[in-house]
Amino acid sequence: MNIAIQEDAADSHRAEVLADVRRAIESAETAHGDPQGRDRALRDLHTVKGAVGFLGLSELAGALHELEGVMGRGGDGSDVAQRVSEARRLLDSEIGTGAPASAGLAGEGAFTQCLWWAERMIGQISASLGKEAELNITGGDLRIDDQSRAALTRALQHLVRNAIVHGIETPDRRSALGKPQRGTIAIAAHRAGGLLTVEVSDDGAGLPDELSARVFQPGVSGAADVSLYAGRGIGLDVALSEVDSLGGRVEVRSTPGLGACFAIIVQESAGP
């Protein structure tokens, strides 16, 4: 079953995302001279810049990307401070001029609340990379508690970005392989036996054998160069950390040439 995610659904998450941006900027500001703090800040920036971009705030997303780049290159304190100042200026401008986000995300909500960004992400990244992909969602009406929703959202953003950037091939390449020109990214959620399982799969290239065993290690990336979307070896590491925070695990299945599937599995606590 295909479920359309309306683009204006992002508006209801705007304040939540901008609050995450403020925390990431503060993390970057205080990380100088602290290697562990620097790593945390890089992970935070890598996560929030994508969400900001899918809100249509391209200038702020670019500033966060520049800040991430300076920190990733080991820039000095003054360079980092300058980037922090610019990112904070743009953030304050957005907070001051944007429409307020609607309340009511606490408690339980449909699984589709985790995916307000998904269609926009797939459309934007696919277009920039000369690819074509569609989104297929099942289990969208499954109820998810607020704590799980927040962590799942962040993990899924990295997994879907990975599927577009590293999995789905270009239309010409897919045609040469006998595949439809448009790739498919599927997100499926279901519950059984006290387990919540969320799968992100694609019909793309699959994982190279040499990456399969190391795909979640920090610094491992399938991209040759650093870009707005990939190359720092942070995304899947962050996704695993988010799932770890829920006491869950991620299982990976891949068939070279046919695609990959990342399954998030979380043991849910019994109700009172």
Side-chain angles (χ1 to χ4, degrees):
M1 177 177 63
N2 288 314
I3 301 176
I5 310 297
Q6 299 297 322
E7 286 198 355
D8 61 4
D11 293 339
S12 67
H13 295 267
R14 188 176 187 278
E16 184 181 21
V17 171
L18 294 183
D20 286 343
V21 171
R22 184 171 296 283
R23 285 190 289 270
I25 291 173
E26 291 172 351
S27 178
E29 187 174 34
T30 59
H32 184 63
D34 177 4
Q36 290 186 337
R38 172 183 169 276
D39 289 345
R40 285 194 300 271
L42 283 172
R43 292 154 67 97
D44 291 344
L45 289 167
H46 192 75
T47 297
V48 299
K49 73 177 183 183
V52 167
F54 307 129
L55 287 174
L57 308 179
S58 57
E59 192 173 5
L60 178 56
L64 294 170
H65 181 62
E66 290 295 326
L67 175 56
E68 180 192 10
V70 168
M71 295 190 69
R73 294 191 298 271
D76 61 31
S78 61
D79 202 2
V80 171
Q82 180 181 352
R83 301 294 182 179
V84 164
S85 178
E86 175 64 7
R88 180 174 283 123
R89 181 187 69 80
L90 292 169
L91 173 64
D92 289 342
S93 175
E94 292 300 337
I95 290 175
T97 61
S102 61
L105 294 180
E108 285 194 347
F111 174 60
T112 50
Q113 285 192 358
C114 297
L115 303 174
W116 59 267
W117 45 271
E119 283 194 345
R120 186 173 291 180
M121 171 189 276
I122 291 172
Q124 287 183 0
I125 298 180
S126 295
S128 70
L129 298 179
K131 299 181 179 183
E132 298 178 12
E134 63 183 11
L135 174 64
N136 189 349
I137 299 172
T138 58
D141 57 352
L142 202 70
R143 307 300 290 179
I144 304 291
D145 70 83
D146 184 56
Q147 180 182 359
S148 297
R149 179 188 59 77
L152 283 173
T153 297
R154 292 187 289 266
L156 288 167
Q157 286 174 347
H158 290 290
L159 293 177
V160 172
R161 182 188 294 118
N162 183 75
I164 307 166
V165 175
H166 300 296
I168 301 297
E169 309 95 338
T170 62
D172 287 348
R173 176 60 177 164
R174 290 179 64 86
S175 291
L177 293 170
K179 297 181 176 182
Q181 287 193 333
R182 181 183 293 269
T184 298
I185 296 171
I187 304 175
H190 65 272
R191 264 192 193 92
L195 296 177
L196 170 65
T197 301
V198 181
E199 295 183 332
V200 178
S201 59
D202 67 77
D203 64 348
L207 291 171
D209 291 339
E210 65 273 16
L211 285 182
S212 294
R214 302 185 298 119
V215 68
F216 291 111
Q217 293 179 8
V220 173
S221 175
D225 301 303
V226 174
S227 71
L228 182 61
Y229 307 119
R232 298 195 187 280
I234 295 175
L236 292 183
D237 173 37
V238 174
L240 182 60
S241 294
E242 294 291 349
V243 177
D244 280 345
S245 74
L246 299 175
R249 66 185 190 275
V250 183
E251 297 181 353
V252 183
R253 303 188 301 274
S254 176
T255 303
L258 296 180
C261 176
F262 290 78
I264 297 171
I265 303 171
V266 177
Q267 177 75 52
E268 297 189 301
S269 59

